[in-house]
Amino acid sequence: MQQQYPFKQVEQQAQQFWEANNSFLAKQSSDKPKYYCLSMFPYPSGKLHMGHVRNYTIGDVLSRYHHMKGFNVLQPMGWDAFGLPAENAAIQNNVPPAKWTFDNIAYMRKQLKSLGFAIDWSRELATCQPEYYKWNQWLFLRMLEKGIAYKKTQVVNWDPVDQTVLANEQVIDGRGWRTGALVEKREIPGYYLNITGYAQQLLDDLDQLTGWPERVKTMQANWIGKSVGVRFAFTHSIKNNEGALIDDGKLWVFTTRADTIMGVTFCAVAAEHPLATHAAQSNPALATFIEQCKQGSVMEADMATMEKEGMDTGLTVTHPLTGEAVPVWVGNYVLMTYGEGAVMAVPAHDERDFGFAKKYKLAIKQVIHVNGHIFSDAAWQEWYGDKSKGVCIHSGKYDTLHYEDAVNAIAADLKAKGLGDKQINWRLRDWGVSRQRYWGCPIPIVHCDSCGDVPVPDDQLPVKLPEDCVPDGSGNPLNKLASFVNCACPSCGKPAKRETDTMDTFVDSSWYYARYASGFSSEVMVDAETNYWMPVDQYIGGIEHAILHLLYSRFWFKVMGDVGLLDSDKIAAAEINHIKSTATQASQKNLPSNGTTVCREPFANLLTQGMVLNHIFSRRTDKGGIEYFAPEEVSLVHDEQGKLIGANALKDNLAVDFQGMGTMSKSKRNGVDPQSLIEQYGADTARFFMMFAAPPEQTLEWSDSGVEGSHRFLRRVWNFGYVLSNEKKSNLPAKLSNGLAAYRREIHATLKQANIDLHRLQFNTVASACMKILNALEKLQKEAEADWQSVAHEGCAILLRLLSPIAPHITQSLWQTLGYGDNILKATWPEALATAMVQDEVEYVVQVNGKLRGSITLAKSMEKSQIEAIAVNQPFVQKHLENASVRKIIVVPNKLINIVVG
RNA sequence: GCCGGGAUGGCGGAACUGGUAGACGCACUGGACUCAAAAUCCAGCGUUGGCAACAACGUGCCGGUUCGAUUCCGGCUCCCGGCACCA
């Protein structure tokens, strides 16, 4: 008789049970090792998407697993609540961003709760709360005091019609998304954080992040991009209209290839460079070109792929070593705000410079002799492909010097002339945090005509963001809000204007993990409890955050330490030893070896989860646009083998195009609503499918039938639980029959592998281990050998505990039903027993010349020589020895025999 | 353009440190149950040839190392993520 699987009731009861018992309330406790499990908090966009479900299920599996392993677990949740989408929604629906945001939070919180996550909701926070963002402002002021925050010019995308700054996302094919106007680059003042001052630390400390994926560390190291080169100046006597030397008569550049300096044939400067501006005054064509350079977006991908263009300024500068006159060009690929705003050009030894020189017929001078290549146009491809560094030629006194010696000699000569020196250069740029937007944390500065830019005093924090504004798409509405802008200067008391720029939302997300871990005081940013919980033991989030968010968080956390907020260097040796004895492999990796210092890093272990994909269906409309179809609006066409060959729209039964798999998005209409999934199949099914369908780090392809399969499995678990609940509970007999012993061995061996997979964070194979165990249990029951119940109860208790982090509701319910206990969370984690897995015979695979030819079962203790003799005598081996003899035999113990013949 | 990653049956994936390629699931096919269908259960299922035993081929492509390569090395192709104001 099939049992119903009443998942709604089961899930509701389990959730009530956890709530009544305060099961997930995290408190400082000294008798258990701590485990801080953090998932990247969601942006409250409206409702959860599948990426959230996946992310938070991974976090929940780890939290519940560690809970059962005896850790003191903290798993918090909150909202990354400032940002652009709220302003867009406001423009569209005429609702203040605050209301939209808080409504979304309320709905999404409900959704999260229905998924049964083991979250400590008492620590919930939203970054748009003044109690939270007050501390953004407070730390920003500390950074101003320390000189970490400073003001300089930034370049932004400017929409000339809406008179507003555009985010990169709002620039489509070089035009504003609302106006269609060509976007311009515009320079405006803004605040920067000196993250480059922390570049060396950020680079060095990557080595200590042994719990991070290599690829993320590589990406960060490349992003920081340390290079040692030479900064030097060309000289000139060009004067501005006031008669003063422009930039003191020096044009500074930086190069990592100082050995090629003798091959410089021109310099390129940014359109905004003072030399360019000066030359343009008497050169209308150049002035026009400079204007053209200002068109287009500031995105690096655009800059790197655009056609490189330039124009001669007619000016020359003097080469510091040869004294030759070097022409100065304006290049559209040189940015004023990066580096010196000028570059030297060596066409013979740089691909971009070569292209530019060919295009504008500029001189090309070979000064490096690489593996005998003599420069010529025809030989260029081969020549440039040879990236090795060579020996200087045509370089006067530097001839015959190799790269390193040449750089040293040239740097020394430049230094002697006072025109340059070796310098470390970072690809990393300082972090511009000013945004000309409304829905963000106000920058706590007041502009006073008499006193200049005055920081808001600490006792006047937070500078609260007015919550009733409705942006209209043209500029920051704060500018028009007199009640916000007009204020008294904190220094002299005279009327002054408040700064209306808000902070980059990456600031909000750079320290939320530390606030969760503290007591939410209104007096301090973080308190002593933060020291207890930090660092985060496991951080989980999308791979798309591998660089920016993670780098900013690492930087911000180091600054917090530097202003004395954290005490993460002091963990008692005793506690470390205790943690070491109990910690999982993953969390142990982060422990300090000597027991005294911990590096100031916020995230000890990192798991970067893959995206959730679904089919994309579309069709060209009559007007030439694209109409997207949701997966439930089409019927799929398969061939006899089940291969997808097409699809038809349900509404008109005409064909639609299958665009392959893509990330779930609103615009492509291929999202699946988690809510309908939960209602139709339950939270446990949603969770199980998410864990089973793919390993956490890979992309996950949505599949309706895969969800049904997961639900089918849970229903079988439910049925089996009820069948077994009617069977006697007896202890294992002293001696099991061969049949029962084989089942028991299979269950324990599967458990052993599953525990290894849990440590590897490979949850898809843990889920399949649960399936394997159930398959074994069902067969065991069907065969119903005497005493089968004893093995079945042991196996079922293993299955429920192993499955419980993934599907917590059904397992909690069955744990009670089967009388194993009241609360499965308090059960001990199952470990495979060696005694259950003993085997005296093993199967050897036999290969001939590496090809599988058969297998033999041998006693486990057999001698190698005996194994070889038996293997060679097998008929399936003898067959291959008719015209050949044995040359060598390789025996891999308990696994494989390879007989090499010839 | 630059940085990082990926590619295995009809599909999602497995094979943890070079040792049986395809675990587990989905889809499909056949069978049982049923008046019938759904659900459930049983069996089959990489490709090619063969009644079969078996043989050959097979982990994106080309080449290398090795007794043995999905795994290591060199060179490609295509796809995905990031590129500093989406979060």
Side-chain angles (χ1 to χ4, degrees):
Chain A
M1 176 66 196
Q2 290 286 313
Q3 281 276 335
Q4 285 283 326
Y5 164 36
F7 59 86
K8 277 191 183 145
Q9 189 194 328
V10 167
E11 293 180 0
Q12 209 171 42
Q13 277 175 1
Q15 286 168 18
Q16 280 164 2
F17 176 83
W18 296 323
E19 188 151 352
N21 287 286
N22 276 327
S23 298
F24 310 119
L25 203 65
K27 288 194 200 124
Q28 257 180 276
S29 135
S30 55
D31 63 328
K32 288 181 186 175
K34 65 98 183 176
Y35 183 79
Y36 182 2
C37 183
L38 180 67
S39 292
M40 289 181 187
F41 63 169
Y43 178 80
S45 55
K47 47 190 183 183
L48 291 186
H49 55 68
M50 284 300 169
H52 293 132
V53 177
R54 188 178 194 196
N55 196 156
Y56 305 141
T57 303
I58 294 168
D60 205 47
V61 167
L62 284 165
S63 291
R64 287 175 179 273
Y65 170 63
H66 281 86
H67 203 111
M68 291 173 76
K69 290 282 268 188
F71 284 78
N72 185 31
V73 177
L74 166 60
Q75 182 175 231
M77 183 53 69
W79 311 95
D80 189 12
F82 276 137
L84 204 51
E87 295 194 30
N88 296 336
I91 296 166
Q92 229 170 52
N93 313 322
N94 203 38
V95 191
K99 182 180 163 29
W100 183 84
T101 303
F102 285 118
D103 287 352
N104 289 347
I105 288 175
Y107 182 73
M108 290 169 76
R109 183 192 299 116
K110 214 177 110 197
Q111 286 190 300
L112 284 176
K113 289 196 169 177
S114 73
L115 281 158
F117 296 134
I119 289 167
D120 179 357
W121 284 102
S122 73
R123 294 169 189 261
E124 181 183 359
L125 60 79
T127 56
C128 63
Q129 293 161 335
E131 304 80 47
Y132 181 81
Y133 67 68
K134 171 184 178 179
W135 300 105
N136 289 2
Q137 297 173 344
W138 182 86
L139 197 71
F140 176 81
L141 294 175
R142 298 293 83 75
M143 292 197 206
L144 268 181
E145 289 163 6
K146 290 175 87 76
I148 297 171
Y150 65 96
K151 203 172 184 181
K152 75 166 184 186
T153 301
Q154 55 178 345
V155 187
V156 295
N157 302 308
W158 180 257
D159 185 320
V161 174
D162 261 349
Q163 293 283 298
T164 197
V165 177
L166 297 177
N168 284 338
E169 188 190 50
Q170 297 171 317
V171 180
I172 296 156
D173 296 330
R175 291 171 183 274
W177 67 335
R178 283 160 51 80
T179 62
L182 282 173
V183 168
E184 299 167 8
K185 296 185 191 75
R186 175 170 282 217
E187 293 188 60
I188 58 170
Y191 284 94
Y192 278 80
L193 305 183
N194 180 22
I195 191 172
T196 53
Y198 283 74
Q200 189 68 56
Q201 266 191 67
L202 288 166
L203 187 64
D204 290 346
D205 290 354
L206 285 174
D207 290 342
Q208 302 183 46
L209 296 175
T210 49
W212 280 38
E214 277 312 313
R215 57 173 166 158
V216 175
K217 288 191 281 184
T218 308
M219 278 192 266
Q220 291 221 348
N222 290 340
W223 183 262
I224 294 167
K226 183 178 185 174
S227 58
V228 180
V230 173
R231 179 177 179 264
F232 72 97
F234 295 84
T235 54
H236 62 79
S237 51
I238 303 158
K239 289 176 179 157
N240 64 18
N241 297 343
E242 281 84 51
L245 278 175
I246 291 174
D247 291 337
D248 294 328
K250 285 175 183 147
L251 176 65
W252 288 96
V253 299
F254 175 85
T255 179
T256 54
R257 289 298 303 272
D259 58 322
T260 66
I261 277 178
M262 303 303 274
V264 169
T265 57
F266 66 99
C267 286
V269 300
E272 299 84 359
H273 196 278
L275 287 179
T277 312
H278 177 74
Q281 285 174 0
S282 53
N283 184 343
L286 184 63
T288 309
F289 177 72
I290 287 172
E291 278 311 302
Q292 281 170 10
C293 285
K294 289 179 181 169
Q295 266 183 15
S297 83
V298 299
M299 281 179 267
E300 185 173 310
D302 289 350
M303 301 289 294
T305 50
M306 72 184 178
E307 178 71 19
K308 308 290 178 291
E309 287 175 350
M311 189 175 273
D312 193 357
T313 61
L315 303 172
T316 60
V317 289
T318 307
H319 193 290
L321 297 177
T322 66
E324 283 170 8
V326 176
V328 176
W329 282 61
V330 174
N332 66 346
Y333 58 93
V334 187
L335 276 188
M336 194 58 212
T337 47
Y338 307 156
E340 307 290 344
V343 294
M344 71 172 203
V346 184
H349 305 287
D350 179 274
E351 199 166 16
R352 185 182 65 188
D353 295 346
F354 175 76
F356 196 88
K358 290 307 291 179
K359 183 169 177 178
Y360 294 107
K361 302 193 167 43
L362 292 159
I364 299 169
K365 184 181 168 196
Q366 181 182 359
V367 291
I368 303 290
H369 187 265
V370 182
N371 296 339
H373 291 292
I374 297 303
F375 182 83
S376 74
D377 281 5
W380 172 256
Q381 285 306 324
E382 185 197 356
W383 153 264
Y384 189 75
D386 193 336
K387 294 273 198 273
S388 53
K389 286 162 181 154
V391 177
C392 290
I393 52 169
H394 309 316
S395 298
K397 63 185 274 203
Y398 309 113
D399 280 358
T400 75
L401 291 181
H402 277 277
Y403 170 76
E404 207 169 305
D405 295 336
V407 169
N408 286 335
I410 287 168
D413 287 350
L414 287 166
K415 191 176 181 182
K417 291 176 185 242
L419 288 176
D421 203 350
K422 279 198 175 181
Q423 198 189 47
I424 290 171
N425 194 54
W426 303 97
R427 206 191 78 93
L428 179 69
R429 306 195 296 258
D430 276 348
W431 177 11
V433 292
S434 289
R435 296 291 179 272
Q436 295 68 46
R437 289 187 212 300
Y438 161 61
W439 191 236
C441 166
I443 293 178
I445 296 287
V446 168
H447 303 290
C448 171
D449 286 341
S450 324
C451 311
D453 298 344
V454 183
V456 174
D458 285 1
D459 61 9
Q460 291 175 30
L461 297 182
V463 176
K464 278 196 189 175
L465 182 73
E467 291 195 352
D468 45 5
C469 276
V470 182
D472 60 7
S474 66
N476 184 348
L478 287 178
N479 287 322
K480 302 164 197 160
L481 198 67
S483 60
F484 179 77
V485 175
N486 295 325
C487 62
C489 170
S491 176
C492 68
K494 282 189 226 161
K497 304 275 185 203
R498 205 176 274 292
E499 170 68 59
T500 57
D501 280 1
T502 53
M503 291 185 198
D504 180 3
T505 54
F506 274 125
V507 170
D508 308 324
S509 55
S510 287
W511 68 282
Y512 72 110
Y513 49 86
R515 185 72 177 173
Y516 280 146
S518 86
F520 282 28
S521 164
S522 60
E523 301 303 315
V524 287
M525 189 170 183
V526 293
D527 62 20
E529 195 185 349
T530 304
N531 289 320
Y532 169 74
W533 290 110
M534 289 300 292
V536 171
D537 293 278
Q538 182 68 58
Y539 197 31
I540 305 136
I543 181 69
E544 67 272 20
H545 295 292
I547 295 175
L548 292 179
H549 161 63
L550 290 170
L551 194 66
Y552 290 146
S553 294
R554 294 179 58 218
F555 161 67
W556 195 274
F557 193 63
K558 286 176 195 299
V559 174
M560 284 174 76
D562 288 350
V563 303
L565 283 171
L566 299 162
D567 194 17
S568 55
D569 298 345
K570 292 173 202 155
I571 291 185
E575 190 187 348
I576 285 164
N577 289 334
H578 179 57
I579 296 171
K580 277 193 169 168
S581 64
T582 45
T584 61
Q585 222 173 359
S587 61
Q588 243 196 42
K589 280 191 280 186
N590 187 53
L591 291 173
S593 50
N594 57 12
T596 51
T597 58
V598 176
C599 75
R600 229 169 229 157
E601 285 288 337
F603 313 119
N605 294 287
L606 174 70
L607 190 157
T608 49
Q609 138 225 349
M611 309 240 182
V612 183
L613 312 181
N614 200 3
H615 296 86
I616 301 171
F617 299 102
S618 69
R619 183 192 282 166
R620 283 273 163 197
T621 61
D622 300 340
K623 290 172 191 158
I626 290 184
E627 182 185 9
Y628 285 98
F629 290 83
E632 64 271 18
E633 292 170 345
V634 302
S635 66
L636 303 180
V637 184
H638 299 271
D639 67 8
E640 316 84 65
Q641 285 180 309
K643 188 176 185 173
L644 180 62
I645 50 171
N648 295 313
L650 292 176
K651 66 173 182 184
D652 53 17
N653 211 29
L654 297 173
V656 296
D657 298 326
F658 174 47
Q659 303 273 328
M661 287 287 184
T663 51
M664 288 189 175
S665 79
K666 221 181 236 177
S667 60
K668 297 201 169 130
R669 303 199 60 228
N670 64 338
V672 175
D673 183 8
Q675 206 53 43
S676 62
L677 176 65
I678 295 163
E679 270 152 31
Q680 199 179 345
Y681 297 103
D684 280 342
T685 296
R687 296 168 58 119
F688 188 88
F689 171 72
M690 281 291 169
M691 292 303 97
F692 178 61
E697 304 218 282
Q698 281 182 35
T699 55
L700 181 151
E701 297 189 10
W702 184 260
S703 145
D704 288 325
S705 49
V707 172
E708 282 164 32
S710 297
H711 190 68
R712 196 149 47 217
F713 165 69
L714 292 180
R715 203 162 53 211
R716 277 168 57 207
V717 172
W718 184 261
N719 279 318
F720 183 80
Y722 269 83
V723 168
L724 194 62
S725 68
N726 294 323
E727 298 286 343
K728 64 172 181 183
K729 267 202 274 185
S730 54
N731 292 330
L732 290 166
K735 176 87 179 109
L736 283 177
S737 72
N738 285 345
L740 291 182
Y743 278 116
R744 188 161 184 251
R745 188 184 313 121
E746 189 184 339
I747 290 166
H748 280 265
T750 307
L751 172 64
K752 187 182 175 188
Q753 185 60 46
N755 274 329
I756 293 169
D757 290 346
L758 269 168
H759 283 275
R760 292 196 294 150
L761 310 179
Q762 193 170 295
F763 307 121
N764 56 328
T765 48
V766 176
S768 53
C770 292
M771 290 174 154
K772 275 188 206 174
I773 293 175
L774 181 66
N775 288 347
L777 289 173
E778 284 181 341
K779 266 193 232 160
L780 183 65
Q781 182 233 335
K782 212 159 279 173
E783 288 171 13
E785 205 184 315
D787 281 331
W788 72 273
Q789 295 93 336
S790 61
V791 175
H793 273 293
E794 187 200 43
C796 187
I798 287 172
L799 169 64
L800 292 180
R801 282 174 292 168
L802 186 62
L803 180 60
S804 67
I806 301 175
H809 307 88
I810 188 175
T811 46
Q812 164 63 22
S813 179
L814 288 175
W815 192 256
Q816 288 183 342
T817 303
L818 282 154
Y820 297 155
D822 178 46
N823 186 351
I824 197 168
L825 271 168
K826 302 228 157 128
T828 55
W829 189 257
E831 299 291 347
L833 297 173
T835 50
M837 292 184 287
V838 285
Q839 230 176 336
D840 16 272
E841 288 189 324
V842 283
E843 193 189 35
Y844 273 88
V845 161
V846 182
Q847 296 180 336
V848 177
N849 285 342
K851 279 196 184 196
L852 177 67
R853 295 298 172 188
S855 68
I856 45 178
T857 303
L858 299 173
K860 214 170 173 181
S861 53
M862 197 176 280
E863 293 284 324
K864 192 177 175 229
S865 54
Q866 212 179 340
I867 292 172
E868 288 177 2
I870 294 171
V872 169
N873 279 322
Q874 297 300 313
F876 56 78
V877 173
Q878 285 296 320
K879 215 161 71 176
H880 295 274
L881 286 172
E882 280 163 16
N883 298 312
S885 56
V886 175
R887 308 227 162 195
K888 194 173 170 187
I889 300 177
I890 287 141
V891 177
V892 181
N894 299 327
K895 256 190 186 157
L896 174 141
I897 304 154
N898 187 15
I899 299 157
V900 185
V901 305

